[in-house]
Amino acid sequence: MTPVTTTLALLLLPLASATVIALFLRRRHNLAAALSVTAAAGIAALAATLIFAADRTPVTASLEWLTLGPLNLSLGFLVDDLAKLMLSVVAFVGFLIHVFSLGYMHDDAAKARFFGGLSVFMFSMLGIVLADNLFMIFIFWELVGFSSYLLINHYNQKQSAADASKKAFIVNRVGDFGFLLGIIWCWWQFGTTNLTELTATMGEGGVIVSTALPLLLFCGAVGKSAQFPLQVWLPDAMEGPTPVSALIHAATMVAAGIYMLCRIDVLMTADALQVILWIGVATAAYAALCAVVQRDIKKVLAYSTLSQLGYMVAAFGLGSQATISHQEYQLLDGKVAIDLLPVLVPAGAAAAMFHLTTHAFFKALLFLGSGSVIAGCHHEQDIFKMGGLWKKMPVTFWTFTIGVAAIVGLPFLSGFFSKDAILYLAFQNNKAVFGILTATAVLTSFYMIRMWKITFFGEARSHESEHAHETGLTMTLPLVVLAVLSVIGGYGWFFPSIAGSFAEAIPVAHGTAHTAMLLLSIGILSVGAGAAWLFYKSEPTDTLAAKSPAAFGLLERLKEGPDRFYGYYVAKVQQRFAMVLNFLDTIFVAGLPRVGAEIVSWFGAGARLLHVGSIHGYVYWFLFGAALCWAIATGLL
């Protein structure tokens, strides 16, 4: 197979799986699950042939789909180093989550629908990764939102799941509206949305880009990657099955916003980067504070994901000073060909993608580990009703521990390398951001060790945890593989083998700076983890709520504040505005035409009365009409 046919097969394989499941296997649950997992395995195999190909030349192909005047919409592929890096996350982590789902969803009554939804999602996410233009990205962007809606609402008999899916869908549409405006603006200014052509055009220099353009495109990332102020949908999305949380809300869909930003880095301006930077910083700090007061094990991880996504967005906004030659393009007769024209890779984008990759490994591990805990504890999710699980679930405990160690930045695990790259870049470019992100890292260690200790140590605090048990091989094997990736995923020999030259732009401390960053990481871990271990007790109540109810209540109000604000806005502003529009519609749009129609009908009814069927009556009306015409002609009327 040629690289182009391999890429096409990679994209269409999950679509074929979803189609077959929807048409023929809706009641054949086990067969549907087997088909979906087989398709995921095929995706991983095909992706590996592209990622580890000896020839690093980008794979490009394009087909014109629709022409509307000067607007040409095309469907095409661009598989370069950045796409290969994202593809490694979607394909390999996605396959492991499919395998885990075999055990987690084995007795679900709607298993076929679930696995069909997973295949639709994989098709949609792969479309974003492989797209060569912004219009194609937007098409698959919306399909990702649709498939996310279906999967969050899998337990559709629960009102909370239905509400969460609607909330996620609506909030994402807000960001996507800005994204679409940015795409239209991009086409209007440059005459193209092709990523390679945009790169070549910007590389020629002399092009002025308004700050509003990249910020409108950034709106799409604010929605998909749940950045402030559109972060409210992600914690509620935990109503979906845990494998959905791992696939969509930790490893892939929420990371699509970061990937899209790195795709359009050539359009960024200095002012736009500053806005993006501080939105990422605010999200990282806010979510870390909210995670401290969560009781639900999945929602702790959801707020942790928000915080880590904020780290990635902040890293992207930190800058474009350290650059290297990456892909090489030239614009020739309106077509793109490979040539010796350097493209610069911002250090911020490289650091963001590095953390995206390592985060996908350890956060998928943590979500699947939480799923194993939930299944082992008979679907209990409150960490204060667990306890003592390290003896009952040893594989889950040790793999989960590796995930916790990676996210808190234990030296020489994957999270240590990627988070330190962001902190080092912040130290170089913005000391205020460095201070806030360092404090956020301390909070990360604090709430993760809190969750880890309360869940696994002490005595069992409920009937469910008393009778907890280790899950089966289909659930524990993916945990072991992800644990290995969480250890080795940040090492230099592993990352460049996937990302190619893109990995060379990652900011790395050397000499005394390296020693300082190492000591800083140890200090962050010691302060945050030590405080959590000493402060929290293995008991059925939250120690912070018991010892400092004022601080606990403040954090609770901080967590609930955005939802309360949006609730007030919808009830007091949007709903009343909608009522005014409804009144205007009733009076002017529907009312006035209705009044006119009534007047016409009255005249019609009167005219019908003239048709009395008597010649004498008609003679009188004729004489009346003649007299009226004579009066008008003579000027009497």
Side-chain angles (χ1 to χ4, degrees):
M1 295 175 67
T2 66
V4 173
T5 55
T6 300
T7 306
L8 184 62
L10 176 68
L11 178 62
L12 296 182
L13 185 58
L15 178 61
S17 170
T19 302
V20 172
I21 291 173
L23 294 179
F24 306 110
L25 303 179
R26 285 180 293 177
R27 298 182 184 277
R28 306 288 297 275
H29 301 295
N30 292 331
L31 191 56
L35 177 61
S36 181
V37 175
T38 302
I43 291 168
L46 292 171
T49 63
L50 292 174
I51 294 168
F52 299 107
D55 184 3
R56 304 297 298 185
T57 303
V59 179
T60 58
S62 182
L63 175 66
E64 188 173 294
W65 173 46
L66 182 64
T67 300
L68 298 172
L71 175 61
N72 292 318
L73 300 181
S74 63
L75 301 177
F77 302 135
L78 174 59
V79 187
D80 55 4
D81 286 343
L82 179 58
K84 291 176 182 178
L85 179 57
M86 190 67 184
L87 187 59
S88 68
V89 172
V90 175
F92 301 144
V93 176
F95 170 64
L96 293 173
I97 292 172
H98 273 74
V99 174
F100 182 90
S101 300
L102 288 174
Y104 192 87
M105 306 295 292
H106 75 281
D107 58 350
D108 191 277
K111 184 162 63 172
R113 174 162 54 85
F114 173 81
F115 279 97
L118 285 187
S119 291
V120 172
F121 174 80
M122 291 293 286
F123 167 69
S124 306
M125 193 65 209
L126 288 171
I128 293 176
V129 175
L130 301 174
D132 73 340
N133 66 85
L134 291 176
F135 276 118
M136 182 174 170
I137 287 178
F138 185 78
I139 292 170
F140 285 98
W141 196 268
E142 294 305 297
L143 284 173
V144 162
F146 168 71
S147 56
S148 173
Y149 168 82
L150 293 179
L151 290 168
I152 295 171
N153 194 30
H154 177 74
Y155 300 127
N156 49 28
Q157 71 278 8
K158 294 171 56 179
Q159 186 60 44
S160 57
D163 292 341
S165 62
K166 288 187 291 185
K167 186 176 184 180
F169 190 82
I170 293 170
V171 171
N172 272 275
R173 297 295 74 72
V174 174
D176 293 353
F177 179 69
F179 186 31
L180 180 58
L181 291 179
I183 294 173
I184 294 171
W185 188 342
C186 183
W187 175 81
W188 177 76
Q189 178 167 352
F190 299 104
T192 182
T193 61
N194 183 277
L195 298 168
T196 305
E197 292 178 4
L198 288 173
T199 300
T201 300
M202 298 303 296
E204 293 176 350
V207 180
I208 298 176
V209 178
S210 170
T211 297
L213 170 56
L215 288 181
L216 282 173
L217 294 172
F218 175 60
C219 288
V222 172
K224 278 289 184 291
S225 294
Q227 296 299 287
F228 191 86
L230 300 183
Q231 82 289 349
V232 292
W233 67 269
L234 184 59
D236 289 7
M238 297 302 105
E239 290 291 337
T242 302
V244 171
S245 303
L247 180 64
I248 294 180
H249 308 124
T252 57
M253 189 190 87
V254 292
I258 313 301
Y259 173 77
M260 185 270 290
L261 285 178
C262 295
R263 270 292 185 219
I264 61 169
D265 67 272
V266 295
L267 300 176
M268 290 295 159
T269 65
D271 290 338
L273 287 173
Q274 281 297 304
V275 174
I276 292 170
L277 168 64
W278 285 106
I279 287 178
V281 170
T283 304
Y286 167 80
L289 289 170
C290 294
V292 173
V293 294
Q294 285 296 321
R295 299 176 63 97
D296 188 314
I297 188 171
K298 287 176 64 177
K299 289 195 174 183
V300 174
L301 296 177
Y303 278 106
S304 171
T305 300
L306 281 176
S307 185
Q308 297 305 306
L309 289 168
Y311 251 87
M312 299 172 206
V313 171
F316 180 85
L318 276 169
S320 56
Q321 295 184 3
T323 56
I324 63 165
S325 295
H326 177 36
Q327 304 298 336
E328 300 167 340
Y329 304 104
Q330 185 177 12
L331 198 62
L332 298 174
D333 300 325
K335 297 182 179 180
V336 176
I338 298 173
D339 203 352
L340 298 178
L341 183 67
V343 174
L344 302 179
V345 177
M353 287 302 299
F354 187 22
H355 196 52
L356 182 154
T357 305
T358 60
H359 175 264
F361 296 148
F362 58 70
K363 186 53 66 67
L365 169 61
L366 289 169
F367 263 112
L368 295 187
S370 72
S372 182
V373 167
I374 292 168
C377 291
H378 310 283
H379 299 285
E380 177 59 64
Q381 295 185 200
D382 190 338
I383 60 175
F384 291 98
K385 294 182 180 179
M386 297 178 185
L389 299 182
W390 75 276
K391 293 181 180 179
K392 298 181 176 66
M393 306 180 69
V395 177
T396 300
F397 167 71
W398 286 111
T399 53
F400 197 92
T401 300
I402 291 174
V404 170
I407 195 173
V408 301
L410 184 69
F412 311 117
L413 270 66
S414 61
F416 163 77
F417 293 107
S418 59
K419 187 178 291 186
D420 273 19
I422 296 174
L423 291 176
Y424 179 61
L425 186 62
F427 182 78
Q428 288 181 312
N429 294 353
N430 193 313
K431 298 299 189 293
V433 171
F434 171 75
I436 297 172
L437 292 183
T438 300
T440 302
V442 174
L443 282 173
T444 301
S445 297
F446 183 81
Y447 66 72
M448 290 303 298
I449 297 301
R450 163 189 179 264
M451 178 187 66
W452 179 66
K453 178 181 180 180
I454 293 171
T455 300
F456 289 100
F457 293 94
E459 299 298 324
R461 294 183 291 275
S462 68
H463 174 78
E464 288 78 12
S465 58
E466 280 274 4
H467 297 85
H469 57 84
E470 188 63 272
T471 50
L473 185 63
T474 56
M475 296 175 67
T476 55
L477 182 59
L479 297 181
V480 174
V481 176
L482 286 169
V484 173
L485 292 174
S486 298
V487 173
I488 69 172
Y491 280 89
W493 61 266
F494 180 82
F495 190 74
S497 66
I498 294 177
S501 58
F502 195 86
E504 298 174 23
I506 296 171
V508 179
H510 297 284
T512 56
H514 173 73
T515 304
M517 293 305 300
L518 177 61
L519 293 176
L520 176 66
S521 294
I522 295 173
I524 290 171
L525 177 59
S526 301
V527 172
W533 184 266
L534 294 175
F535 184 75
Y536 285 96
K537 309 299 180 184
S538 296
E539 51 190 27
T541 57
D542 193 311
T543 307
L544 181 61
K547 292 189 175 183
S548 182
F552 186 87
L554 179 62
L555 292 176
E556 279 282 350
R557 287 193 292 274
L558 179 68
K559 174 176 67 70
E560 297 170 358
D563 278 308
R564 289 182 176 178
F565 171 78
Y566 288 131
Y568 176 85
Y569 166 77
V570 169
K572 302 299 184 181
V573 179
Q574 181 174 294
Q575 189 63 25
R576 292 181 180 181
F577 181 64
M579 292 171 64
V580 171
L581 291 180
N582 181 65
F583 173 78
L584 296 176
D585 174 74
T586 303
I587 297 299
F588 295 105
V589 178
L592 290 180
R594 187 177 302 156
V595 171
E598 289 293 332
I599 293 174
V600 171
S601 69
W602 294 339
F603 276 108
R608 284 197 302 272
L609 293 176
L610 301 179
H611 296 275
V612 295
S614 170
I615 188 64
H616 303 288
Y618 295 152
V619 168
Y620 287 125
W621 280 114
F622 173 78
L623 293 174
F624 174 77
L628 182 63
C629 290
W630 175 82
I632 294 173
T634 58
L636 293 177
L637 293 177

